[in-house]
Amino acid sequence: MSPSSSSWRALVLVAAVLSVVSFSGHVLAAGHPDYADALAKSILFFQGQRSGRLPPDQAVKWRSNSGLSDGSPANVDLTGGYYDGGDNVKFGFPMAFTTTMLSWGVVEYGGRMRGRVLRDARDAVRWAADYLLRAATATPGVLYVGVGDPDADHRCWERPEDMDTPRTVYSVSASSPGSDVAAETAAALAAAAADPGYSRRLLAAARDVMAFAVRHQGKYSDHVGGDVGAYYASYSGYQDELLWGSAWLLWATRDASYLDYLASLGANDGVDMFSWDNKLAGARVLLSRRALVNGDRRLDAFRRQAEDFVCRILPASPSSTTQYTPGGMMYKSGHANLQYVTSASFLLTTFAKYMAVSNHTFSCQSLPITAKTLRALARKQVDYILGANPQGMSYMVGYGARFPQRIHHRGASMPSVAAHPAHIGCQEGFSGYFNAGGANPNVHTGAVVGGPDQHDAFPDERGDYDRSEPTTYTNAALVGCLAYFAGSYKS
């Protein structure tokens, strides 16, 4: 039977509405990824990175207690916190940045999170903030900045539950300063103080650590043991952290003395990236909130610098200094490139939010820029991560029909303690699991890997840590972006 013209048109219309381009198996009828699902998974990832005694409601069951004696060489309690990537070391510098970015995501976009997702996000912040608070207050005049010898750790492939490498404790003090790690820790504590449960304690510690960073200036990689310093040396120096820490303390306390200090720093370099190492762009966007939303013209210089950052990364901008792959991914580095993609995308959505609230626009030379311009680029980057790319692969583990199977991650690549209770030794891990060709036995749900190269290629090899290792700071910046888009594109 031939359908009538009206019913046929109706069927065609319904088909058009329901049709999707399926790039990862998690695309909704409106033609966009399932941002809410990706958001929940991106937060769940942090449970798989936990160190210490796990809580009764731990959802990632292939992880067990680990690092229960951390801090004992210094007679302090440094249990808890996060392993930053696929190894078993706790680096305070990237952990603090992770905490700041997770907190910022909750501050800006917590209203778009719902129920369990918001609780899990706050729990993820608090798991790190509790550790950083202990690290900052355990010994007067000392900030503990790392646990575990990274050289020894990297010579082993073992589960965190089995690790028997030295749990060396690293710290900074007046005689061995570390303004970069101290100011970042101050930023993290101040940002996490949005949690009303213990904001007073966090802010008191943040003020003290920031004062230490200013009073005893120096790079921690110049003073902390070379093992830790070499892995997270602050190549950008520490002026950016002083700006970042002061910006967060100004936000959290509204103390005008931080505003005066910000003006004195003179950290005016132009930048086209934002990361655990270089905080200038992030500080400028945060300060733009007060300039645009609150109309504080004393911070207009930072707002203009934030706009300069945007002009350096927009692909159509005459002043762009940012490379993009043929598939449209922002490309900054051959090592864990997606960390730069997620952090820049967070700044784009957040600055767009401030622009929209204040009806603000600007230009990159002759190119007019609106909030919509920034959101469009951020969404393209997020969609690329979730599967809208030449490989048709989601770079978030556990999201979509096709995702990395052999991520560079000790715990994920080896059987859980429940499945294999016997100890697995340092070198046994290499021969039995690292060099195995199959998929990891544990799906590290929500983990975002380092990502493809400048040609959009991704080999999915366990030994390729540049592309296959997930990190907490990559996920931390993505959480806020996903919350924004989940709230904008509801199913």
Side-chain angles (χ1 to χ4, degrees):
M1 181 186 299
S2 298
S4 69
S5 59
S6 59
S7 61
W8 179 250
R9 283 195 299 270
L11 287 171
V12 169
L13 179 60
V14 170
V17 170
L18 294 179
S19 65
V20 297
V21 179
S22 180
F23 28 75
S24 72
H26 275 62
V27 184
L28 299 181
H32 57 77
D34 188 342
Y35 298 116
D37 181 56
L39 170 63
K41 289 174 176 174
S42 71
I43 298 169
L44 182 63
F45 160 75
F46 290 94
Q47 291 196 22
Q49 296 299 118
R50 282 173 170 171
S51 180
R53 189 171 299 281
L54 303 184
D57 63 350
Q58 170 81 5
V60 178
K61 299 301 184 182
W62 52 266
R63 284 300 322 282
S64 299
N65 300 333
S66 62
L68 298 183
S69 62
D70 281 357
S72 58
N75 296 313
V76 293
D77 177 12
L78 295 177
T79 56
Y82 293 120
Y83 305 115
D84 81 304
D87 55 20
N88 301 326
V89 183
K90 295 193 299 202
F91 294 99
F93 197 16
M95 195 194 307
F97 178 70
T98 293
T99 310
T100 310
M101 293 307 298
L102 273 174
S103 299
W104 198 0
V106 173
V107 166
E108 296 289 354
Y109 304 111
R112 291 174 177 245
M113 301 179 189
R114 294 291 181 267
R116 180 61 185 267
V117 170
L118 180 58
R119 290 195 300 274
D120 284 352
R122 287 174 171 161
D123 286 348
V125 170
R126 189 151 192 169
W127 191 267
D130 284 346
Y131 171 86
L132 294 174
L133 188 60
R134 286 195 293 275
T137 59
T139 304
V142 175
L143 172 65
Y144 295 98
V145 299
V147 180
D149 181 333
D151 284 350
D153 180 86
H154 290 183
R155 288 194 294 269
C156 288
W157 195 261
E158 57 187 353
R159 301 175 297 195
E161 295 85 357
D162 288 336
M163 59 184 173
D164 46 19
T165 52
R167 300 302 286 170
T168 310
V169 174
Y170 301 88
S171 63
V172 295
S173 62
S175 59
S176 301
S179 298
D180 39 15
V181 67
E184 178 58 76
T185 302
L189 294 169
D195 183 336
Y198 63 155
S199 60
R200 188 172 300 176
R201 291 174 58 208
L202 291 174
L203 282 180
R207 285 180 180 274
D208 288 346
V209 176
M210 191 67 209
F212 166 83
V214 173
R215 189 179 306 117
H216 306 290
Q217 295 194 14
K219 286 173 60 176
Y220 94 114
S221 54
D222 292 340
H223 303 284
V224 173
D227 293 344
V228 165
Y231 282 101
Y232 282 103
S234 183
Y235 299 104
S236 65
Y238 54 82
Q239 291 295 104
D240 57 312
E241 277 84 22
L242 293 177
L243 185 74
W244 179 240
S246 299
W248 273 107
L249 275 159
L250 175 64
W251 172 84
T253 67
R254 300 181 183 177
D255 183 338
S257 67
Y258 293 110
L259 182 60
D260 297 336
Y261 183 67
L262 285 165
S264 73
L265 278 171
N268 297 318
D269 294 347
V271 290
D272 62 1
M273 67 167 57
F274 174 48
S275 71
W276 62 263
D277 179 37
N278 194 320
K279 318 299 184 350
L280 289 176
R284 291 163 180 172
V285 169
L286 178 63
L287 292 167
S288 296
R289 174 181 179 142
R290 185 159 168 161
L292 290 172
V293 178
N294 302 111
D296 190 339
R297 297 306 170 207
R298 294 172 295 177
L299 294 167
D300 267 352
F302 296 106
R303 186 262 305 164
R304 290 191 294 270
Q305 289 173 333
E307 292 170 359
D308 178 72
F309 164 75
V310 171
C311 291
R312 289 171 185 263
I313 63 173
L314 287 174
S317 167
S319 53
S320 178
T321 56
T322 299
Q323 177 184 352
Y324 286 81
T325 67
M329 176 185 68
M330 192 181 299
Y331 188 78
K332 291 293 182 182
S333 172
H335 175 64
N337 180 66
L338 287 183
Q339 67 172 301
Y340 305 103
V341 176
T342 62
S343 58
S345 297
F346 180 92
L347 294 188
L348 288 170
T349 57
T350 303
F351 195 66
K353 176 183 174 182
Y354 304 159
M355 290 175 65
V357 168
S358 59
N359 295 314
H360 179 72
T361 62
F362 66 96
S363 297
C364 296
Q365 296 182 31
S366 59
L367 181 69
I369 305 298
T370 66
K372 184 178 179 180
T373 311
L374 276 58
R375 288 194 294 263
L377 178 57
R379 183 183 172 190
K380 183 171 184 178
Q381 299 306 301
V382 171
D383 288 0
Y384 184 106
I385 292 170
L386 297 181
N389 57 65
Q391 296 286 336
M393 173 182 279
S394 161
Y395 293 110
M396 175 184 287
V397 175
Y399 177 88
R402 185 166 177 255
F403 51 82
Q405 301 293 311
R406 290 170 286 278
I407 67 172
H408 182 93
H409 190 279
R410 287 157 175 77
S413 69
M414 305 174 73
S416 67
V417 171
H420 188 293
H423 178 89
I424 301 173
C426 170
Q427 295 306 310
E428 184 185 352
F430 279 115
S431 59
Y433 303 99
F434 178 81
N435 295 321
N440 289 347
N442 304 312
V443 177
H444 197 348
T445 301
V448 178
V449 297
D453 64 16
Q454 67 269 37
H455 306 295
D456 299 298
F458 182 78
D460 194 12
E461 295 174 355
R462 192 174 294 115
D464 186 359
Y465 59 85
D466 282 334
R467 297 177 182 88
S468 293
E469 184 174 15
T471 62
T472 56
Y473 40 90
T474 301
N475 268 64
L478 183 61
V479 166
C481 297
L482 290 170
Y484 172 78
F485 289 120
S488 299
Y489 301 96
K490 296 176 182 176
S491 59

